[in-house]
Amino acid sequence: MRRCLVVVLPLMLVSSDAMAQVTDAPQRVSNATMLVVNAALGGFTAGLWRAAAGKPSWTAFGRGAAAGTVVFAGKRIIGEATSPAWWFGRQLAAVGSSEVANAAQGKPFLQTAVLPLGPLRIHIDRSARRKVSPRLDLASSIATIAVASQDGSRFAIRESVSTGAIVFLVPETSNEVGRSSAGVVTISELAPDGKFPPLEGKRSVLSHEIVHASQYDFGFSAWGDAMQSALAKRNSWGRRISSFVDINLALPIQLGANGIIDYEDRPWEREAVSLAANGR
């Protein structure tokens, strides 16, 4: 089973990657295909965790697959490219990702949920004494500081309020028009061939990058959070850190997947391109 996890884990995580949006877009895929893939990701993720724990996995697979369809529904809403859609779609997908984690750990339906809010993650646990616990997303915080320190970078208040994510506007330095890193979005002020349009013209770019942020949420909730919780149980020092800080331990695998798959062949990029096109 451990060997199986080593092989399958990267495949389960690649959909949560955050990469640049460039002018040569990957091939689009249908909504039906994306629905099936998201359901399969949710099902296999939950089933593999239960199997690794030596527990029956078929029930977890079914719950995870159902939750995976909710994840897709949220990302599909993001593609509608409006402020309410960006907000509600990402939160709905986050609830679906959380339910995949609940199924993986054998917890009751929606016992826990993790909702993203800028550099924070709001942990909700119906069984805990402290039912709501905000924690700092370490990777997102580092990404925010890194982008903010770049020359010419400026915080995009209007775009951040519209999406619920941390968004920066940056000068054009390459053929990238957008990037999402650990849920932090950067948008180029200029398109490769001229002045970038105002917010109304940026909607498809923002949708593309918020889809990536939602993919990052899935990797965090379904894999990273579970890995951190397992490590925290082993020592008091880890428990203290986990009370205030979230460390996405799955992120190195997510980033590594980018290094071995060409941009135009990445399934997570095809999903973001396809869903962003729905709002045009």
Side-chain angles (χ1 to χ4, degrees):
M1 179 52 63
R2 291 182 178 178
R3 294 181 180 178
C4 180
L5 284 173
V6 169
V7 174
V8 178
L9 181 56
L11 299 178
M12 298 294 103
L13 289 170
V14 292
S15 67
S16 65
D17 184 43
M19 274 302 297
Q21 185 184 44
V22 297
T23 53
D24 295 330
Q27 183 180 357
R28 297 177 186 175
V29 293
S30 68
N31 286 328
T33 298
M34 290 184 285
L35 174 62
V36 170
V37 170
N38 277 272
L41 283 171
F44 280 112
T45 297
L48 283 171
W49 274 115
R50 294 305 286 163
K55 304 293 184 179
S57 59
W58 283 111
T59 300
F61 178 90
R63 283 183 62 187
T69 65
V70 176
V71 174
F72 171 74
K75 289 188 285 191
R76 178 63 180 82
I77 292 172
I78 291 171
E80 294 300 317
T82 65
S83 296
W86 289 321
W87 271 88
F88 178 71
R90 187 179 180 190
Q91 300 306 324
L92 179 63
V95 170
S97 298
S98 299
E99 181 55 20
V100 171
N102 285 323
Q105 298 172 49
K107 295 180 179 179
F109 177 71
L110 287 182
Q111 176 175 306
T112 64
V114 182
L115 305 178
L117 182 62
L120 298 177
R121 295 202 170 263
I122 311 302
H123 289 251
I124 302 172
D125 187 344
R126 295 190 290 112
S127 67
R129 177 180 301 177
R130 185 182 178 186
K131 299 187 182 305
V132 179
S133 175
R135 302 178 193 173
L136 187 68
D137 184 333
L138 183 61
S140 181
S141 299
I142 293 174
T144 299
I145 295 171
V147 176
S149 64
Q150 295 177 4
D151 291 338
S153 175
R154 59 187 179 90
F155 179 61
I157 298 177
R158 181 171 58 175
E159 289 84 345
S160 296
V161 171
S162 297
T163 61
I166 300 296
V167 182
F168 288 92
L169 296 178
V170 296
E172 182 190 23
T173 56
S174 68
N175 64 340
E176 298 174 0
V177 295
R179 176 180 288 271
S180 178
S181 301
V184 177
V185 175
T186 57
I187 303 293
S188 175
E189 292 182 324
L190 300 175
D193 58 351
K195 185 174 177 59
F196 209 83
L199 178 60
E200 289 72 22
K202 294 177 183 175
R203 294 189 184 279
S204 62
V205 179
L206 285 168
S207 292
H208 180 113
E209 303 307 336
I210 299 302
V211 168
H212 280 319
S214 183
Q215 294 167 345
Y216 170 78
D217 296 338
F218 178 86
F220 172 86
S221 293
W223 290 97
D225 192 36
M227 295 163 68
Q228 181 177 346
S229 297
L231 292 175
K233 291 178 180 179
R234 297 185 178 184
N235 59 78
S236 58
W237 182 77
R239 286 193 294 273
R240 293 192 189 98
I241 292 179
S242 296
S243 298
F244 304 100
V245 179
D246 281 328
I247 303 173
N248 189 352
L249 297 175
L251 188 58
I253 301 176
Q254 298 170 326
L255 297 176
N258 286 320
I260 60 176
I261 303 177
D262 293 335
Y263 172 80
E264 61 274 11
D265 295 328
R266 294 168 186 162
W268 50 98
E269 287 293 347
R270 291 184 176 182
E271 179 181 56
V273 167
S274 303
L275 289 170
N278 288 325
R280 294 174 183 171

